[in-house]
Amino acid sequence: MAVQTVDTTTTAPDATTPADASADGSVDLGPAAALSCRECGEKSPLGPVFACASCFGPLEVAYDLPEGGPEELRRRIESGPDSIWRYAPLLPVPADVAGKPNLNPGFTKLVKADNLARELGVTGGLYVKDDSGNPTHSFKDRVVAIAVEAARAFGFTTLSCSSTGNLAGAVGAAAARAGFRSCVFIPHDLEQGKVVMAAVYGGDLVGIEGTYDDVNRFCSELIGDPLGEGWGFVNVNLRPYYAEGSKTLAYEICEQLGWRLPDQIVIPIASGSQLTKIDKGLQELIKLGLVEDKPYKIFGAQAEGCSPVAAAFKAGHDVVRPQKPDTIAKSLAIGNPADGPYVLDIARRTGGAVEDVTDEQIVDAIKLLARTEGIFTETAGGTTLGVAKKLIEAGVIDPALTTVVVNTGDGLKTLDAVAPTTGPTATIRPSLDAFRAAGLATD
C-alpha cells in the first residue's frame, strides 16, 4: 500500500501552528470524514495515503457535507473571506484555516470576454476564469494551500512535489509562508521563468534529467525510502487532499455566475485532476442545492505534442496510452496522466469532448486572448483557448450557450513561446518625421 508512516501527534514546523492532531491520533480536517477508493469504493481513515489497500485504485476525500438549507449555506459562503477559504465547509481543512499562515489564494476574476466572444462568434456569453491572479500566478496555489493543511495535520516537516513548473513555485512560496522546509523536483529543461520563480523562495530546487514522468517516478521512490521520512509530497502522498483544491474553481465560477452552472466549460489537461475535481465540485453544488441541477458539458484541452487523452477520446478507447511529450506547453506535458480514464468518463457522460491543438495554434490563441481581452496567458491557457476556438468552429461547442474557458497561469512564465514572433512594431529615430515615415501616425 502506498503509505508513509508519520507521527500525527508531533508539532508542525511553524511553532505558532501545532499539528491538528488530537491525543488519539485523529486529525482535524473539517468536514473530511474518510478516504474513499474511486474504483472499489472502500473507505479508509484519513492519512497520507494515496492508493487503496484492496485494489490499489486512487483515493479521494469523502465528506460529511454541511446540513441545513442552501440559502443558509450561501449566506455563510458569501460572508466568508475573498479566498478559497470561503468554501472551508466543503474542503478538507479545519474551520479556522483562514487564520493560519498561508497565501490565501482564490476568488480570482471571472472575466466576461465580450471582445473575444465577438471574435469567435459566441452569442451566449463567454467568460475567462483568470487564475493568473493567484499569489504565484497559477491555479496551483489553490491545490497547494489544501495540501499544506494536510501536511500540518499529519506532522510533516518538508513539503515537496514533482512539477512541470507552476507547482514548484506554488510549493516554494507556500512553504516559505507556512514555515516548512521545501524541496521540489522538476524536469531539467523547464522554461527559465518557472525555474527562477521556483528557486527564489529559498527552498531546494532539483532538476531531474528526463521528462515529468521520470520526475514523478523518482518522487515515488523517494517516498518509500528512509530519506523521504517526514516529507509531504503534495501531489503524491498528499494527493487526495491536494486535488480537492481544484473544486474551488467550480465553486467560484458558479458563485460568480450568480449561483448558476455554466452550460459549457473548457479545461486544460495535464494529469487530468483539475478537470475531474471541477466536475466533482459542480456535482457537490447540485447535491447541496446551491445551484439548479441542469445539464452541462465539460471539454478537455491538450497540446498535440502531448495528447494521450485526446487520442483515446477520438479513438473511442477507455485506456489512455502514454506518449512522450514534445510541445511548448510544458505545464501540460504529462505523457501518462493519472486521471486520464476519469477525464474520458466525464467528457462522455456530460456530452463534452477532449481535443488538441498544435503549438502554432497555442501561440495564436495566446495572442488572441491578449489582443481581445488584455489577458496574457501562459501556454496552458493558450492550449485551452485554442481548443475552445477549434471546437466552436467545428460546431462542437454551441456558441449560443454560456461558456467558460479556464486560464490557469500567467504568460510571463512562458515568454519563450511568444518571444520569436512578438516585439516592437517599429524602431525609429526620436523625431516626428521618423514616426510619420514608419506609417504609425493616424488621422
Side-chain angles (χ1 to χ4, degrees), residues 67 124 192 378:
E67 298 180 355
Q192 187 62 19
E378 66 167 7

Side-chain angles (χ1 to χ4, degrees), residues 411-436:
L412 292 174
K413 296 186 175 192
T414 57
L415 290 173
D416 290 351
V418 294
T421 57
T422 307
T425 304
T427 301
I428 63 172
R429 299 186 310 278
S431 73
L432 293 176
D433 287 342
F435 182 66
R436 292 190 185 95

Side-chain angles (χ1 to χ4, degrees), residues 184-378:
V184 299
F185 301 90
I186 59 173
H188 69 286
D189 60 349
L190 283 187
E191 302 97 334
Q192 187 62 19
K194 291 182 179 177
V195 172
V196 171
M197 189 166 189
V200 74
Y201 300 108
D204 293 317
L205 178 67
V206 181
I208 301 290
E209 296 177 358
T211 67
Y212 171 81
D213 297 295
D214 296 317
V215 179
N216 203 36
R217 280 191 294 271
F218 168 79
C219 289
S220 296
E221 292 176 10
L222 183 55
I223 287 174
D225 190 274
L227 288 171
E229 190 69 24
W231 286 38
F233 287 80
V234 300
N235 55 344
V236 189
N237 58 350
L238 295 177
R239 186 177 182 85
Y241 313 95
Y242 156 95
E244 294 293 286
S246 289
K247 295 193 309 181
T248 60
L249 279 162
Y251 300 156
E252 289 178 20
I253 288 169
C254 291
E255 183 180 353
Q256 290 167 326
L257 286 174
W259 294 107
R260 292 188 298 118
L261 291 169
D263 297 314
Q264 304 167 135
I265 183 167
V266 191
I267 306 164
I269 297 171
S271 72
S273 176
Q274 183 185 71
L275 186 149
T276 62
K277 295 308 179 187
I278 287 177
D279 179 66
K280 183 181 181 182
L282 296 177
Q283 290 295 312
E284 288 177 350
L285 293 180
I286 292 170
K287 181 179 179 180
L288 290 165
L290 292 173
V291 297
E292 179 185 355
D293 187 2
K294 68 168 189 174
Y296 60 86
K297 294 183 179 182
I298 290 184
F299 299 88
Q302 292 200 293
E304 190 177 274
C306 186
S307 55
V309 187
F313 181 86
K314 293 176 186 179
H317 295 162
D318 295 326
V319 175
V320 177
R321 297 183 61 183
Q323 294 181 358
K324 185 176 181 180
D326 182 17
T327 173
I328 61 171
K330 294 184 183 296
S331 62
L332 303 182
I334 297 179
N336 188 19
D339 277 31
Y342 302 105
V343 169
L344 294 174
D345 291 343
I346 290 167
R348 290 166 179 157
R349 188 194 81 227
T350 65
V354 185
E355 186 55 88
D356 54 33
V357 285
T358 66
D359 284 356
E360 182 180 3
Q361 289 171 312
I362 292 170
V363 173
D364 288 345
I366 291 172
K367 293 181 176 181
L368 173 62
L369 184 58
R371 174 171 58 81
T372 57
E373 299 297 340
I375 298 172
F376 184 20
T377 180
E378 66 167 7

